[in-house]
Amino acid sequence: MFGLFGKSSSPERIGPGPFGRFVLQELVASGGMADIWLATDSHNRAHAMRLMLPEFAEDRAARKRFEHGCEVLASVQSHPNVIGYFEHGKIEGQMFCLMEYVEGANLKELFARHDPVMTENVAQIILDMAEGLEHIHESGFIHLDFKPENVLVSRNASVRVVDFDLAQPLAEAPIKLTKNPGTPAYMPPEQLRGDPIDQRADVFAFGVAAYELLTNAKPFPGDDVNEILQGQLDRAQFLTPRQLNPDIPVGLERAILKCIENDPNKRYPFMSVLVRDLKAALYL
């Protein structure tokens, strides 16, 4: 459900049943560093509980990353398009983050099965993704891992941006990352090259995700970083969104193309300007 990362080894993962003052009901997602459980409290209220896997308990970098993601999530509350946060800490020695439970799936899953929730609400989903990112930036952070796997959509098409483990504070000038984790297909050229980045990296990632949702293709496909970067820079095989899907409104295509400009100075400087153009293009 939450598109996290996955790896399993001993010691064994926790199973369903009592866990501190909660009861773990059902494992709803598994990833490399954490599991996501449907958990209920003493009032039988449902929550999503993210539990760090026990094999990472002695990994200082993993613990720091997990806690960082929790702290950023707490800092970007409250917005209808960002997953709700309640608390984080340790229970029975295991790091956890208690979040809003949303019954649904991530956009990658919905996209893969052509789910009507996505296909019938794609315009509103695109706008909600943009407004979620706008709020994150206005709260002082860059997401830095924005992609369909990190966009949760409920059964009534309500959007939540999730997974803030890689987020960084929004600085006055572009920052150079000491490490460059993330998903290359959604990174702009300056990030793939290891150059300084700012919020316009998220603008680019949003444009790639919107392009993909509307065309069933990635704008810059590739099997590795070099191939993706080369596709971004020469654009010899690049097709505009309307070449693949003529039903896309002209104004929406124009906005997406502006998001995925190679030169960050030619992209939208702020998500708020993009949101304005999306509303005009989509009549929302």
Side-chain angles (χ1 to χ4, degrees):
M1 202 177 94
F2 276 77
L4 300 165
F5 328 88
K7 168 179 152 188
S8 179
S9 62
S10 59
E12 292 184 3
R13 300 183 186 185
I14 194 168
F19 183 67
R21 66 184 194 277
F22 300 95
V23 177
L24 302 181
Q25 302 286 355
E26 179 187 356
L27 181 64
V28 294
S30 243
M33 196 167 68
D35 285 337
I36 300 286
W37 284 84
L38 166 60
T40 51
D41 61 19
S42 58
H43 299 284
N44 207 34
R45 292 174 297 205
H47 302 280
M49 181 176 285
R50 187 181 186 209
L51 282 177
M52 174 176 268
L53 298 179
E55 55 262 36
F56 291 96
E58 304 303 320
D59 186 332
R60 185 174 180 272
R63 294 198 313 270
K64 188 174 180 180
R65 179 171 157 183
F66 185 96
E67 186 168 17
H68 171 77
C70 297
E71 291 171 348
V72 173
L73 178 57
S75 298
V76 298
Q77 300 293 295
S78 300
H79 189 274
N81 300 129
V82 174
I83 196 72
Y85 163 90
F86 294 103
E87 62 178 283
H88 71 279
K90 282 187 177 182
I91 295 177
E92 299 176 5
Q94 287 193 260
M95 298 182 72
F96 78 96
C97 183
L98 193 69
M99 303 175 294
E100 170 190 16
Y101 177 71
V102 176
E103 191 171 352
N106 70 50
L107 263 183
K108 183 179 182 180
E109 294 168 335
L110 296 177
F111 183 79
R113 63 181 186 240
H114 304 289
D115 195 295
V117 169
M118 189 201 79
T119 56
E120 294 172 8
N121 299 281
V122 66
Q124 188 64 54
I125 287 172
I126 286 173
L127 179 59
D128 288 350
M129 292 193 309
E131 291 187 329
L133 269 181
E134 178 188 21
H135 173 76
I136 292 163
H137 291 176
E138 290 179 348
S139 299
F141 292 92
I142 317 171
H143 189 280
L144 289 182
D145 199 20
F146 187 83
K147 56 185 177 180
E149 293 97 310
N150 286 335
V151 177
L152 187 64
V153 183
S154 72
R155 289 185 174 181
N156 66 354
S158 179
V159 164
R160 304 288 192 281
V161 179
V162 303
D163 198 340
F164 293 84
D165 287 357
L166 302 185
Q168 292 293 320
L170 184 57
E172 292 185 5
I175 56 173
K176 186 171 179 63
L177 302 175
T178 53
K179 296 181 180 179
N180 197 22
T183 307
Y186 300 91
M187 292 179 179
E190 66 271 21
Q191 188 175 3
L192 291 176
R193 291 191 297 252
D195 295 337
I197 60 168
D198 59 15
Q199 74 279 355
R200 292 170 294 181
D202 279 352
V203 172
F204 188 95
F206 170 88
V208 173
Y211 181 110
E212 189 175 6
L213 293 179
L214 292 165
T215 67
N216 197 28
K218 284 187 170 66
F220 312 110
D223 294 326
D224 56 41
V225 169
N226 291 330
E227 196 173 335
I228 293 167
L229 180 59
Q230 188 60 42
Q232 292 173 348
L233 297 179
D234 65 34
R235 304 211 172 192
Q237 306 299 320
F238 177 75
L239 297 174
T240 67
R242 282 173 54 81
Q243 285 178 286
L244 295 172
N245 180 358
D247 293 332
I248 297 172
V250 173
L252 178 56
E253 178 185 69
R254 189 181 303 120
I256 292 171
L257 292 175
K258 188 174 177 68
C259 288
I260 58 175
E261 286 277 4
N262 285 340
D263 182 352
N265 292 318
K266 293 182 178 180
R267 290 178 217 142
Y268 286 99
F270 306 107
M271 288 300 301
S272 56
V273 185
L274 170 59
V275 167
R276 178 201 66 194
D277 283 2
L278 289 175
K279 287 180 176 178
L282 299 170
Y283 304 103
L284 294 174

